[in-house]
Amino acid sequence: MFAAERRQLILEMVRANGAVSLRELARVVQTSEVTVRRDVRALEAEGLLDRRHGGAVLPGGFTRESGFPQKSHLATAEKTAIADLAAGFVEEGEAIVVGAGTTTQELARRLARVPGLTVVTNSLLVAQALAHANRVEVVMTGGTLRGSNYALVGSGAEQSLQGLRVSRAFLSGSGLTAERGLSTSNMLSASVDRALVQAAGEVVVLADHTKLGSDTMFQTVPTDVITRLVTDEPPGHDDRAATELQALADQGVQIAVAGGPGAVQGPGQLGAESAADRRGPRRDVPLPGQRRNHPPGAGGSAPQLRPAGTLSEAPGSRVADLAPRRR
């Protein structure tokens, strides 16, 4: 395929999907990521698209939201690995909330095997994935159906979550930055996600590396409210993604990396987290914009690493707490 043909195909994919990873572009045009990166750089110079960490987006600063058919074919291998790892943080008998998204749908398919689980969701896709799980109770919110992502939104969904309390919330989104946290392109979806956060003791964000550094219109979860990020291993050449991960860790977010032997490497100490470490007392999540409360005597110091251990639930993956360099 000639360079002009490749670039035309790349441009058509970005226009159709809003955002596409370099890995996906390389797979479709059947060339290396190095070549695709050179093509994306040339298209950016012409003002036809913008580069982002590990991918390309429509020009204009904020990515628009893709529909479900487009999202379901993006970063599929990464979403599968993230879902496999995230499922290891869910225990028997828990009550959790799961937001809408293709990555959370993958998570729901794995949660069908967890006995005694109660899942509250506004996603028809999540509910469908759990519909035949005999040992899992599914609670749907009310609301108005938003067809582009098969989610229930609006005041009905938000009101049905009032007074709810669960152990964890699992959310995805369109973009994630250390400065602004998790964001999405739709106001109604963002409002429901904020209501899901208020119901949970911990917030776990599922985001593949292509979303790191991307910022979209509506903030859903501020960085200081995110307990843990589950992501995939960024490509070795993507220094900006690694920098973003370290910046998130500096703000107290625990980083869980799914993938091969090369987990995210930061200047601080890396340690695996054991399953026992995860079964701590439930912590209240502050309102958006508020900081987490540190334990008595901690003052304003950075959080300490937990003891090293093993995570048997996700063989071949690694859970890492990146030590904050500064606060």
Side-chain angles (χ1 to χ4, degrees), residues 102-318:
T102 53
T103 310
T104 52
Q105 180 189 22
E106 287 295 324
L107 171 64
R109 289 172 177 149
R110 288 146 182 81
L111 297 181
R113 300 187 294 267
V114 182
L117 187 65
T118 299
V119 177
V120 181
T121 185
N122 70 318
S123 169
L124 298 187
L125 298 176
V126 168
Q128 182 183 42
L130 296 168
H132 300 292
N134 295 327
R135 298 177 294 177
V136 178
E137 181 179 0
V138 180
V139 179
M140 293 288 297
T141 68
T144 302
L145 177 63
R146 184 166 179 261
S148 61
N149 65 345
Y150 300 94
L152 297 171
V153 298
S155 59
E158 296 171 39
Q159 290 173 8
S160 67
L161 293 166
Q162 292 180 3
L164 180 70
R165 191 64 180 174
V166 298
S167 58
R168 293 182 181 90
F170 292 85
L171 299 176
S172 187
S174 302
L176 177 65
T177 65
E179 179 181 1
R180 195 158 172 254
L182 190 67
S183 62
T184 187
S185 303
N186 181 265
M187 181 174 62
L188 294 176
S189 296
S191 185
V192 174
D193 282 353
R194 286 192 287 266
L196 292 172
V197 167
Q198 292 304 310
E202 293 183 356
V203 178
V204 181
V205 170
L206 312 182
D208 64 77
H209 74 274
T210 65
K211 297 178 181 178
L212 294 176
S214 295
D215 198 5
T216 50
M217 291 184 67
F218 301 99
Q219 183 192 57
T220 56
V221 189
T223 306
D224 56 5
V225 178
I226 300 172
T227 308
R228 188 189 317 272
L229 166 64
V230 185
T231 187
D232 63 296
E233 180 185 355
H237 57 73
D238 196 348
D239 295 334
R240 291 182 298 178
T243 300
E244 196 75 43
L245 285 177
Q246 184 62 58
L248 287 162
D250 288 345
Q251 298 196 41
V253 178
Q254 299 171 30
I255 310 297
V257 178
V264 173
Q265 297 295 324
Q269 177 185 359
L270 293 174
E273 184 187 41
S274 68
D277 291 330
R278 297 198 311 272
R279 292 193 290 269
R282 189 173 70 188
R283 297 185 294 104
D284 288 341
V285 172
L287 294 172
Q290 292 180 329
R291 301 294 303 178
R292 291 192 184 93
N293 292 325
H294 292 285
S301 60
Q304 300 298 311
L305 287 176
R306 297 180 177 180
T310 58
L311 181 63
S312 59
E313 294 95 328
S317 299
R318 202 163 90 179

